[in-house]
Amino acid sequence: MTTLGDLWHNVLNTQPDPPHLLVIVTGVVALLVITPHRVWALTRNAVTIAHEGGHALVGVLCGRRLRGIRLHSDTSGLTLSSGKPYGAGMVLSLFAGYVTPSLLGLAGAGLLGLGRITLLLWVSLVLLLAVLVMIRNVYGAVAVLVVGAVVFFVSWFASPAAQAAFAFAGVWFLLLGGVRPIGELQRLRSRGRAPDSDADQLARLTRIPGLFWVGLFGVVNVASLLLGGYLLVVPLLRSGV
C-alpha cells in the first residue's frame, strides 16, 4: 500500500518529457473537442467551471463574501457574492471570469514545462474541490463531480503515459477553449442578447465601453494561448523537431 510519504514524493517528483508526437496529438484533440458545436456544448462546462471559479477566487481575494456558485445545463453560470457593488474589487472580480480558463491553461503549461505532470493533476483536484464546496445547485454539483472524478481516476489509476496525455490535452483545452467564448460573447452582445454580460457590467461600473473589455479579454486569452503553446512545444524546439 502506498504511504502518505510515497504519495507526497510522487506528487512533487518530476516526470520525463513526453514523446513529441503526444504534445502535437493532444493539441489536435483539444482543438477537435472545442470546434464542433455539439461537442463544445458539452465540453464547455469545464470552461464554465473555471470561469465561475475565477470570479469566486478573485472576489474572495478582494474582500468580497462569496455566497455560492451555480452552473446551468446551457453552460452558463452565476457566481453570487456580497460586498460593495462598485470599486476595484468588483471590477477585478468581474474581469476574472473570462480570463481565468486561459490563465489556468498558461499556469498548467508552465508546470508541464517543468515536468510536474502529477502535481498539475492534484492541484486540479484541489481547485475542483474548492469550487464544489461553493456549488449551490444539483446540475453544478454533478458537473464538478464528474470532472473531478475523471481527474482523480487518471491521477490515481492511469499509467504515467496516460497521465501525460490527459494533462497535456487538458492544458491545450483550457488554452484553446478560453479563446472561443470571447467571440461568442461579442456575437451575443451585437444581437442585444447579453445585456448583463461581464463586459457590460464592467462598462457600467467603469464607463468604459463593453467592446473594450471584450477586446481586453481576447488580448489576455490569445496571449496566454501563444505563450502557453510555446511552453508546451519547447522540448520539440530544443530537439530541432
Side-chain angles (χ1 to χ4, degrees):
M1 182 177 294
T2 302
T3 66
L4 183 60
D6 292 335
L7 176 61
W8 187 246
H9 175 75
N10 186 44
V11 169
L12 295 181
N13 199 20
T14 60
Q15 290 76 42
D17 291 336
H20 296 155
L21 183 60
L22 181 144
V23 178
I24 297 172
V25 169
T26 53
V28 173
V29 170
L31 186 61
L32 291 176
V33 300
I34 70 165
T35 302
H37 178 73
R38 291 188 176 182
V39 179
W40 175 240
L42 177 63
T43 58
R44 197 183 192 280
N45 283 283
V47 174
T48 302
I49 292 171
H51 178 117
E52 300 303 329
H55 281 314
L57 175 61
V58 174
V60 170
L61 292 177
C62 291
R64 299 185 62 79
R65 183 175 180 181
L66 185 61
R67 294 167 53 194
I69 298 172
R70 300 179 69 88
L71 305 174
H72 306 129
S73 58
D74 62 355
T75 71
S76 65
L78 179 65
T79 297
L80 299 174
S81 63
S82 57
K84 293 190 300 183
Y86 55 87
M90 189 66 185
V91 170
L92 290 172
S93 178
L94 284 169
F95 181 77
Y98 274 100
V99 300
T100 294
S102 293
L103 292 178
L104 286 175
L106 178 58
L111 286 176
L112 292 181
L114 295 173
R116 305 286 184 172
I117 295 173
T118 305
L119 178 60
L120 171 63
L121 295 175
W122 282 89
V123 168
S124 300
L125 280 173
V126 171
L127 294 175
L128 287 167
L129 179 60
V131 172
L132 179 62
V133 171
M134 295 308 303
I135 292 293
R136 294 294 182 265
N137 67 323
V138 174
Y139 180 85
V142 171
V144 176
L145 283 171
V146 168
V147 175
V150 172
V151 176
F152 175 77
F153 180 86
V154 172
S155 63
W156 192 262
F157 296 106
S159 66
Q163 289 184 4
F166 181 82
F168 273 84
V171 168
W172 276 120
F173 171 77
L174 287 173
L175 291 170
L176 293 165
V179 174
R180 178 168 178 173
I182 310 304
E184 295 174 339
L185 169 63
Q186 185 53 32
R187 283 196 296 274
L188 290 173
R189 293 185 69 252
S190 66
R191 299 168 185 172
R193 295 172 56 189
D196 294 318
S197 70
D198 293 350
D200 290 285
Q201 291 184 65
L202 284 166
R204 290 192 287 270
L205 281 170
T206 63
R207 299 187 180 182
I208 299 174
L211 186 59
F212 168 84
W213 294 106
V214 175
L216 190 56
F217 295 154
V219 168
V220 172
N221 291 6
V222 170
S224 297
L225 171 60
L226 294 176
L227 180 55
Y230 172 78
L231 293 175
L232 292 176
V233 301
V234 160
L236 281 69
L237 298 175
R238 288 175 178 169
S239 63
V241 176

